Amino acid sequence: QSAQEEVIPLWEAGQSPYLKEGDEANIPQLTPYPVESGNGAAVVVCPGGGYGGLARDHEGHQVAKWYNQRGVSAYVLQYRLGSKGYHFPTQLADVQRAIRLVRANATEWNIDPGRIGVMGFSAGGHLASMAATKFDEKAYEPVDAVDDSGARPDFAVLCYPVIMMGAPATHRGSQKNLLGSDKVDDHAAVAHVSSEKNITAETPPTFL
């Protein structure tokens, strides 16, 4: 089994917040693409799919290999989806935990804890934008020492991202899958996850 086929659960067994009982198929996890003697940078990659699926090949594994060729370690995130009954803040919890997990293992994984970024495509770009703008939001209760590490990415890369969650500009499928059909007309809930409304001086450098 190669490193590319291994997966790292974000939480220890039984600790994943919001996980439906017995739902082993949707345990959030990272697929690591480490670089043994790289430049110390690392990126958590969030594939797109409208929060209803995951384009893990061309917006995940291929991207990770591209980073590896440039000396950057990459970790492809399998986050939970609205199509499987998981809605906000579950996705924010998953990306926060992924960044914390990489940072907590920085020494062991030969990573600079101050050079950990997040990248996402389409709805995954929205998730990456939430990681960059809502890193200090408590999306889940801390459970172990990993949660002592910061969730703020040091940079973000947003590729054709969904950003706005409000009408008329949003991608309706992503909006419904993220929030749930009962929340799409809740203006406060929509504004809460509209990343253009959540930028602060603490938002990390972002490449669009």
Side-chain angles (χ1 to χ4, degrees), residues 109-194:
W109 294 350
N110 197 29
I111 290 167
D112 181 342
R115 298 182 71 198
I116 298 170
V118 63
M119 180 180 193
F121 300 79
S122 193
H126 179 264
L127 183 55
S129 76
M130 286 203 299
T133 57
K134 303 180 84 63
F135 54 84
D136 56 354
E137 180 168 320
K138 190 175 182 180
Y140 65 95
E141 292 296 329
V143 294
D144 56 23
V146 168
D147 292 322
D148 294 336
S149 294
R152 179 184 181 272
D154 297 297
F155 60 91
V157 183
L158 310 181
C159 293
Y160 42 89
V162 176
I163 293 292
M164 300 179 180
M165 275 291 160
T170 193
H171 179 253
R172 294 288 288 182
S174 296
Q175 181 199 53
K176 180 179 177 182
N177 281 325
L178 177 65
L179 291 173
S181 55
D182 59 326
K183 292 282 185 69
V184 294
D185 295 318
D186 182 330
H187 296 301
V190 168
H192 188 68
V193 294
S194 293

Side-chain angles (χ1 to χ4, degrees), residues 4-79:
Q4 284 81 359
E5 294 171 330
E6 297 171 3
V7 295
I8 304 170
L10 295 187
W11 284 271
E12 296 289 337
Q15 291 187 335
S16 295
Y18 315 116
L19 189 67
K20 300 176 189 303
E21 187 173 354
D23 189 11
E24 299 295 317
N26 289 296
I27 291 174
Q29 58 194 23
L30 290 173
T31 301
Y33 288 80
V35 177
E36 292 301 324
S37 55
N39 58 29
V43 180
V44 173
V45 180
C46 305
Y51 285 119
L54 287 177
R56 280 184 282 185
D57 186 24
H58 68 284
E59 292 177 353
H61 303 303
Q62 291 182 32
V63 177
K65 292 174 181 176
W66 183 89
Y67 271 118
N68 284 175
Q69 293 167 359
R70 288 151 180 83
V72 178
S73 293
Y75 298 84
V76 179
L77 175 60
Q78 178 179 315
Y79 54 92

Side-chain angles (χ1 to χ4, degrees), residues 98-114:
I99 293 167
R100 287 182 170 126
L101 188 63
V102 174
R103 188 165 278 133
N105 287 282
T107 300
E108 180 183 349
W109 294 350
N110 197 29
I111 290 167
D112 181 342

